[in-house]
Amino acid sequence: MGERRTLIIDDTAYETRVTRKFARRQPYAPKDLRRVAAFIPGVIRAVHVASGDRVRKGQGLLVLEAMKMQNDVAAPEEAVVKAVHVSPGDTVSKGQLLLEFE
C-alpha cells in the first residue's frame, strides 16, 4: 500500500500512508529564467532567434508543435540569447533544454 509517515501539524501528530510515487517525487525548485525547456514533447517547427540576439519579454523564440497544435514559446524576460540547442524539425522530449540566456 505504501509506507507510513507521521506528520505533525499544529502540535498534533497524524499517521498517514504515502504512495511510492509520492515518496519519489522531485522537490519543488524555482524556475530558472535563464533556461527554456520543452513543456511538452513535440517537434520544433521554427526558431526565431540565434545566439547573441537580444530579446524582449514576451517575444516569440520558437514554435513547438505538439498534438497538431503549434505553441509559440515566448521569452520570460528581457535577455540575450546565449545558445540555441534545437533546429527546425528536431523532435524534443518534455523537459529537454531548448535554449539558454546569458
Side-chain angles (χ1 to χ4, degrees):
M1 285 294 278
E3 70 180 72
R4 296 179 76 88
R5 288 211 183 152
T6 302
L7 302 175
I8 299 176
I9 302 172
D10 294 331
D11 297 325
T12 304
Y14 298 92
E15 281 288 321
T16 188
R17 288 190 185 274
V18 178
T19 63
R20 277 183 264 141
K21 180 179 177 182
F22 182 82
R24 285 187 259 164
R25 75 191 186 288
Q26 294 293 321
Y28 171 76
K31 189 172 184 179
D32 183 357
L33 297 179
R34 292 173 294 153
R35 300 168 57 90
V36 176
F39 57 93
I40 191 169
V43 177
I44 302 299
R45 290 295 173 206
V47 177
H48 303 301
V49 295
S51 295
D53 288 355
R54 179 169 291 283
V55 296
R56 337 178 278 291
K57 181 177 182 175
Q59 178 179 339
L61 302 172
L62 52 89
V63 177
L64 173 63
E65 184 178 296
M67 300 186 307
K68 297 184 182 180
M69 294 193 64
Q70 294 193 359
N71 302 282
D72 292 316
V73 177
E77 62 182 17
E78 187 172 314
V80 175
V81 178
K82 178 179 178 182
V84 178
H85 299 286
V86 292
S87 301
D90 288 354
T91 300
V92 297
S93 58
K94 181 179 179 181
Q96 181 175 334
L97 181 62
L98 304 176
L99 57 90
E100 295 177 276
F101 297 112
E102 291 182 356

